[in-house]
């Protein structure tokens, strides 16, 4: 299970919401923006919104276009997080990071391939494929946000400069060294999707 969930009324928050809020609080504190009390919740809300948007991209009937839309959604999520934090990073670097994260995390959600393959069967295959992919894209998007927030927190916490190269290295490092945490996060995110639907 990803590390602690922070405070608040747990009855009103899903497990995933609590995890996202916790890491957003740590990031805001590391960036010395603790005076902006609503900022962690705003960041967590951006991630949750994009996870819900990802569910919609699963229903694109063209195989491959759904995954491309999911990757674009993750990139847009990173842009919105950066905007909330007042960070300026190049769009091309964020596209590269988002694609790398989405590709890496897709391996944890093997059902994406199954759902995509089903879409080649007209009619019922498209519906079945979309239904299978919905939860997986939701989980991968939540995990993409979590990985990004953790990588930013680690970079800022070490006193690192948040530039494109350092951020990419921090993301790569987190993906490489936290596989079991990521796998557990995706597993919990899939459960969260089922509980919310």
């Amino acid at each position: 299970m990803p590390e602690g969930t922070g405070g608040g009324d747990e009855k009103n928050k899903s497990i995933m919401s609590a995890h996202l809020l916790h890491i957003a609080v740590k990031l805001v504190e590391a960036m010395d923006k603790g005076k902006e009390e609503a900022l962690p919740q705003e960041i967590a809300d951006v991630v949750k919104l994009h996870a819900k948007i990802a569910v919609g991209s699963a229903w694109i009937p063209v195989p491959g276009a759904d995954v491309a839309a999911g990757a674009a959604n993750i990139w847009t999520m990173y842009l919105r997080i950066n905007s909330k934090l007042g960070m300026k990073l190049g769009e091309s670097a964020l596209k590269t990071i988002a694609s790398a994260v989405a590709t890496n995390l897709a391996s944890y959600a093997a059902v994406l391939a199954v759902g995509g393959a089903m879409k080649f069967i007209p009619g019922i295959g498209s519906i079945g494929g979309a239904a299978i992919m919905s939860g997986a894209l939701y989980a991968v998007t939540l995990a993409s946000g979590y990985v990004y927030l953790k990588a930013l927190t680690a970079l800022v916490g070490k006193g690192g400069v948040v530039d494109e190269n350092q951020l990419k290295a921090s993301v790569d490092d987190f993906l490489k060294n936290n596989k079991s945490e990521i796998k557990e996060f995706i597993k919990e995110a899939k459960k969260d999707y089922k509980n919310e639907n």
Side-chain angles (χ1 to χ4, degrees):
M1 179 67 59
E3 69 184 70
T5 60
D9 180 5
E10 293 302 311
K11 293 177 185 172
N12 295 328
K13 290 190 261 182
S14 73
I15 292 171
M16 290 294 99
S17 294
H19 289 308
L20 291 170
L21 183 58
H22 175 76
I23 192 58
V25 166
K26 284 187 159 202
L27 174 59
V28 168
E29 288 172 354
M31 293 185 81
D32 200 25
K33 293 182 178 257
K35 295 176 186 141
E36 300 173 40
E37 292 179 22
L39 188 56
Q41 186 63 56
E42 290 174 17
I43 292 168
D45 288 345
V46 165
V47 176
K48 290 185 291 185
L49 171 67
H50 282 271
K52 291 175 184 172
I53 292 170
V55 171
S57 68
W59 291 89
I60 296 172
V62 180
D66 45 9
V67 175
N73 180 44
I74 292 168
W75 165 67
T76 305
M77 174 177 64
Y78 291 171
L79 281 174
R80 291 186 70 203
I81 290 169
N82 288 356
S83 176
K84 296 273 182 201
L85 295 169
M87 293 175 20
K88 303 264 191 254
L89 293 174
E91 289 183 17
S92 63
L94 287 177
K95 285 180 183 177
T96 301
I97 292 169
S99 294
V101 170
T103 301
N104 190 294
L105 296 180
S107 66
Y108 293 101
V111 296
L112 288 175
V114 173
M118 287 180 69
K119 288 185 177 184
F120 283 106
I121 303 168
I124 194 73
S126 292
I127 293 168
I132 288 171
M133 291 182 72
S134 293
L137 283 173
Y138 177 87
V140 165
T141 304
L142 279 180
S144 296
Y146 182 76
V147 166
Y148 191 70
L149 295 176
K150 290 286 273 192
L152 275 174
T153 303
L155 182 59
V156 173
K158 293 177 187 173
V161 176
V162 180
D163 69 19
E164 296 165 4
N165 294 326
Q166 293 292 348
L167 180 55
K168 182 171 180 347
S170 185
V171 166
D172 290 344
D173 184 59
F174 186 81
L175 288 169
K176 178 181 164 190
N177 296 314
N178 297 281
K179 292 179 181 180
S180 62
E181 179 180 344
I182 294 166
K183 186 176 183 179
E184 185 65 25
F185 189 93
I186 289 177
K187 180 180 167 185
E188 290 297 321
K190 287 179 185 177
K191 287 180 189 175
D192 187 65
Y193 175 74
K194 288 178 186 174
N195 291 337
E196 289 196 8
N197 291 307

